[in-house]
């Protein structure tokens, strides 16, 4: 199911490439079909939105019932497990606590001659959250996408999610949305829902930014409306990398690798260890534990194609491997995990020590579980309050302040051939 | 050339729509042609890169001379104006000063049971800066795109810019790049240069993020590689909004409106004032000053199509107008400009008072001149140090800490049908 290999110069880049290659090549016909849906909804609003919803999701949706009612939410509370509600409430509290620390402050600074420079920080006015339907409907994702927006101060959070064939929405999703304080929920999915959020229709309000995962149509639609509205990063298949020395616990490591592998057959789970013995034990544990797991087939498939147990000579090599792969999740199961924090450059979220398994971070710990995948931790960050704010700079110059730099402004303006720029300085000193 | 109108319910949305509509509709054939160039460079590296460079820019470029040499930079210093070099050095100093204040710090926090949560901040490893060629080659943009990267700590800043027909690069650009400490410069432009930065070729290194303005091919190529690498926001046509009360100086305001209008025929320059008298004087000043300006034709065209002088009843209405338009540049020329700062929600950069003209911000004041356009100040921020860093969260839980929340993690995991997630918690307490 999974091989143990010793890292060498020949296989070093294999893992990086293998992970990158999981991303689907986007077909031209998908691009064209998404562009057509976007154009249609932009021009025809609700008529187009409802047409595609009826075609792809449910024939029971019309512009009268596309918005989820208070009554539907009330009914959802009646059918979901009480323990689940309490767990979601605890998750909300912890996620709120962590994201509060991310809030940024406006600042200003003064210079000679009374010059004042600064930067304002403002929440976006409205945000749209895409929540996939079917088996990929995760209540925890509703919390993770909504709470940082609310912490930032976003006044209107609008959720869209494709309805089931009968026109209903998963009650767990509705309850999570309500606890996270989503303001409006609409039964729409696919490129048509993205279009509605980007351009607005009679039913669905236009928002400033669209976030949340989705299939290739949703991802392409988001990419296409980028600039007209803002979007979050584009999520790819999930991955975990575990770094362990001989103190690592094989049972825990195997369980954590499989918790990632169960997501889908493209998920990647890799252990990099300095201990050949631990490598062997983890392999045994994987073979043993997988037998009792519901999603055994998915786990075996993703371990086979994108899993790996890599033995390295020392921890430095393991860290280097992590920095090259830039995993979404990085577990550090070594004797003194904090001592390695300074060396880790590229990772979405870092889990330190034996009792910080990745699923803890998915649900309850507080940091966001929306993380950069497929090596994009080299340039993307976890979803955060930063994603729901925007900044403005401000400049105040006094007459003396401007007088001192006027020649330099004029020189650069004239070099660039922008003589009206130069004129705007000159008129002030005539 | 420009009309004075009184704001009412009928024309309120006209200006917003008119500005938004400046964005070119992207033709399907541009999309396809860009995708083909991207694929070609990705697969064939330098061969494709040089082929397109020879075709679109200069026949004199090959893989041996595509990289700008130290000697070429030395020669550039010999031909550029000494005053220009000094002005660029002052600009660099001020831009550096402002962006230093944007640096963010890592943080950590502890909770009961020894739980530690935190967030790391790291500079991107490498960044690519696109600099347009021809008449749109602005040395100031080289500074504005490069300096925040250097302040953030980016180790490798790679610049690409299309060569002239003879294979040379504008010496002002080379000098600005050298002063801004760009690490490598390549003679390449268009979608092929974006592809080279995204995928790497034999000559041009792959980077983590691509920034900088460009034509529609460059913009489409950036949009297409987004996710594989990071990109900055997509820049549209430029705009200024001036808010003035009766204390505004008509001569200054007219000059500032035209400094924006000269950029291109799609640029927009709008005055919103509470004073009918000022409105008239500004119109007169525009007519007078424009006669002496080199780019008179562009200015007249953009003022005619996208300019406006709008009279409103009170300052509150003027601010509301600004917040709806969300201008790239907002000048506030009122009696006590700072008192309005709290009301301004949407603007890229805010210029306060009589002696803070927009061109000061373009070159010397320090804040970035790469700003959100076409109303995107509602969700985008000025280019900043934030654009060149990324964050990682970290989580440490003790055994007691995990024990307290284990049931909630298991509950959510099982509700989501992710039983291997639940297993990873359970194995730790067996």
């Amino acid at each position: 199911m999974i091989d143990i290999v010793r890292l060498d110069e020949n296989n070093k880049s294999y893992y990086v490439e293998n992970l990158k290659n999981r991303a689907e090549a986007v077909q031209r016909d998908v691009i064209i079909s998404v562009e057509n849906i976007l154009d249609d909804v932009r021009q025809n609003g609700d008529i187009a939105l409802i047409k595609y919803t009826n075609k792809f999701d449910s024939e029971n949706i019309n512009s009268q019932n596309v918005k989820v009612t208070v009554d539907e939410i009330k009914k959802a509370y009646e059918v979901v497990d009480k323990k689940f509600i309490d767990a979601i409430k605890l998750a909300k509290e912890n996620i709120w606590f962590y994201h509060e620390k991310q809030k940024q402050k406006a600042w200003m600074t003064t210079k000679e001659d009374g010059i004042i420079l600064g930067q304002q920080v403002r929440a976006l006015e409205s945000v749209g959250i895409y929540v996939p339907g079917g088996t990929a409907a995760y209540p925890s994702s509703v919390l993770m996408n909504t709470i940082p927006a609310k912490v930032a101060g976003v006044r209107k959070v609008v959720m869209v999610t494709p309805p089931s064939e009968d026109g209903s929405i998963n009650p767990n999703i509705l309850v999570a949305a309500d606890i996270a304080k989503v303001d409006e929920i609409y039964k729409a999915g696919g490129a048509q829902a993205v279009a509605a959020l980007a351009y607005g229709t009679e039913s669905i309000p236009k928002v400033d930014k669209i976030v949340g995962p989705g299939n290739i149509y949703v991802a392409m639609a988001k990419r296409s409306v980028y600039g007209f509205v803002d979007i979050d990063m584009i999520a790819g298949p999930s991955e975990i990398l575990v770094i362990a020395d001989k103190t690592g616990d094989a049972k825990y490591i195997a369980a954590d690798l499989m918790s990632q592998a169960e997501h889908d057959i493209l998920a990647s789970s890799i252990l990099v260890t300095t201990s050949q013995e631990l490598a062997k034990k983890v392999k045994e544990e994987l073979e043993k534990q997988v037998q009792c797991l519901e999603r055994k087939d998915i786990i075996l498939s993703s371990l086979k194609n994108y899993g790996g147990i890599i033995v390295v000579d020392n921890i430095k090599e393991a860290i280097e491997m992590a920095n090259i792969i830039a995993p979404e999740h990085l577990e550090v199961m070594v004797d003194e995990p904090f001592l390695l924090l300074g060396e880790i450059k590229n990772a979405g979220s870092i889990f330190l020590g034996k009792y910080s398994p990745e699923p803890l971070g998915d649900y309850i710990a507080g940091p966001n579980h929306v993380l950069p995948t497929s090596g994009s931790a080299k340039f993307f960050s976890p979803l955060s309050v930063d994603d729901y704010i925007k900044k403005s700079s401000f400049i105040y110059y006094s007459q003396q302040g401007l007088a001192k730099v006027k020649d330099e402004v004029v020189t650069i303006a004239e070099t660039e051939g922008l003589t009206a720029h130069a004129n705007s300085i000159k008129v002030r000193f005539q």
Side-chain angles (χ1 to χ4, degrees), chain A:
Chain A
M1 66 184 281
I2 194 167
D3 290 327
I4 300 177
V5 291
R6 180 161 277 277
L7 189 69
D8 59 34
E9 282 312 311
N10 296 321
N11 60 23
K12 209 164 194 171
S13 65
Y14 165 75
Y15 294 96
V16 185
E17 293 307 316
N18 196 34
L19 292 201
K20 277 255 176 203
N21 291 339
R22 290 176 303 163
E24 306 169 61
V26 179
Q27 302 300 321
R28 295 287 151 81
D29 56 342
V30 173
I31 298 181
I32 298 302
S33 133
V34 164
E35 295 284 337
N36 288 339
I37 295 174
L38 293 176
D39 286 353
D40 197 359
V41 175
R42 186 175 194 169
Q43 280 162 35
N44 302 309
D46 265 5
I47 293 175
L49 174 73
I50 300 297
K51 181 179 75 186
Y52 294 114
T53 304
N54 292 160
K55 184 175 166 190
F56 298 125
D57 300 311
S58 166
E59 289 186 2
N60 297 337
I61 303 299
N62 55 51
S63 18
Q64 268 65 58
N65 65 14
V66 67
K67 185 173 181 175
V68 170
T69 62
V70 176
D71 204 48
E72 284 176 279
I73 293 169
K74 230 167 80 182
K75 279 190 184 133
Y77 272 99
E78 288 163 16
V79 297
V80 307
D81 188 348
K82 187 79 185 55
K83 262 173 61 189
F84 170 75
I85 296 175
D86 291 342
I88 288 291
K89 283 183 177 165
L90 175 66
K92 182 203 168 182
E93 197 182 301
N94 286 349
I95 297 165
W96 197 285
F97 172 86
Y98 183 84
H99 288 80
E100 269 285 340
K101 314 251 172 232
Q102 294 176 331
K103 283 173 88 169
Q104 294 186 39
K105 288 191 183 72
W107 54 262
M108 60 181 253
T109 181
T110 56
K111 295 177 83 173
E112 68 284 6
D113 300 313
I115 293 168
I116 300 172
L117 303 173
Q119 188 175 270
Q120 275 190 311
V121 180
R122 299 271 186 194
L124 304 191
E125 186 76 17
S126 60
V127 165
I129 313 244
Y130 191 95
V131 177
T135 52
Y138 294 139
S140 57
S141 290
V142 176
L143 301 189
M144 292 294 184
N145 280 288
T146 305
I147 293 169
K150 287 289 170 182
V151 170
V154 173
R155 280 159 63 178
K156 186 154 76 178
V157 175
V158 177
M159 189 176 113
V160 293
T161 188
S164 322
E165 218 178 314
D166 66 0
S168 70
I169 305 286
N170 178 330
N172 295 318
I173 293 290
L174 289 183
V175 166
D178 189 63
I179 290 171
K181 304 257 179 253
V182 167
D183 298 289
E184 300 171 12
I185 307 172
Y186 295 91
K187 298 172 178 178
Q192 60 275 17
V194 174
L197 291 171
Y199 308 122
T201 71
E202 296 83 343
S203 297
I204 300 187
K206 175 184 174 6
V207 297
D208 293 327
K209 179 165 187 165
I210 304 172
V211 302
N215 63 20
I216 187 71
Y217 289 87
V218 172
M220 286 304 304
K222 279 168 64 185
R223 212 174 74 168
S224 200
V225 298
Y226 178 60
F228 196 84
V229 297
D230 193 14
I231 63 167
D232 60 353
M233 62 196 158
I234 293 163
S238 195
E239 71 254 352
I240 190 170
L241 190 98
V242 180
I243 292 177
D245 61 15
K246 62 174 197 256
T247 68
D249 185 306
K251 194 162 74 171
Y252 301 177
I253 293 169
D256 296 356
L257 291 172
M258 288 189 294
S259 78
Q260 199 59 30
E262 79 169 332
H263 270 295
D264 72 84
I265 56 166
L266 293 173
S268 165
S269 308
I270 293 173
L271 166 66
V272 183
T273 178
T274 52
S275 161
Q276 178 75 33
E277 205 189 317
L278 180 71
K280 259 191 268 177
K281 277 193 201 156
V282 169
K283 190 171 151 73
E284 284 162 24
E285 276 291 333
L286 286 169
E287 280 156 359
K288 196 174 107 193
Q289 289 183 39
V290 77
Q291 302 308 327
C292 318
L293 291 172
E294 273 178 37
R295 294 164 76 93
K296 181 178 164 187
D297 293 344
I298 297 175
I299 293 169
L300 288 173
S301 169
S302 59
L303 285 181
K304 183 163 176 281
N305 292 317
Y306 301 106
I309 298 178
I310 304 170
V311 179
V312 291
D313 290 337
N314 49 55
I315 282 292
K316 202 174 151 242
E317 250 187 335
I319 299 270
E320 196 192 314
M321 196 69 192
N323 284 333
I324 294 171
I325 288 181
E328 183 188 14
H329 307 97
L330 175 65
E331 285 190 0
V332 185
M333 303 246 217
V334 299
D335 194 20
E336 294 189 90
F338 274 92
L339 302 188
L340 298 185
L341 207 46
E343 310 302 315
I344 299 164
K345 284 186 197 154
N346 301 324
S349 192
I350 305 161
F351 300 79
L352 301 161
K354 279 182 187 176
Y355 294 98
S356 313
E358 188 271 340
L360 169 71
D362 278 347
Y363 300 130
I364 290 288
N368 213 288
H369 81 194
V370 180
L371 298 167
T373 57
S374 299
S376 65
K378 286 182 181 164
F379 44 84
F380 285 150
S381 305
L383 189 72
S384 75
V385 172
D386 299 347
D387 292 292
Y388 298 102
I389 58 163
K390 41 102 184 183
K391 297 170 181 174
S392 303
S393 51
F394 58 87
I395 298 171
Y396 170 81
Y397 259 59
S398 61
Q399 190 178 19
Q400 309 91 285
L402 185 62
K404 279 192 189 162
V405 300
K406 69 180 174 21
D407 294 340
E408 285 81 359
V409 178
V410 169
T411 297
I412 303 178
E414 288 178 346
T415 305
E416 294 191 347
L418 296 174
T419 45
H421 280 59
N423 178 62
S424 119
I425 305 298
K426 288 177 185 167
V427 294
R428 284 168 163 85
F429 295 95
Q430 273 161 4

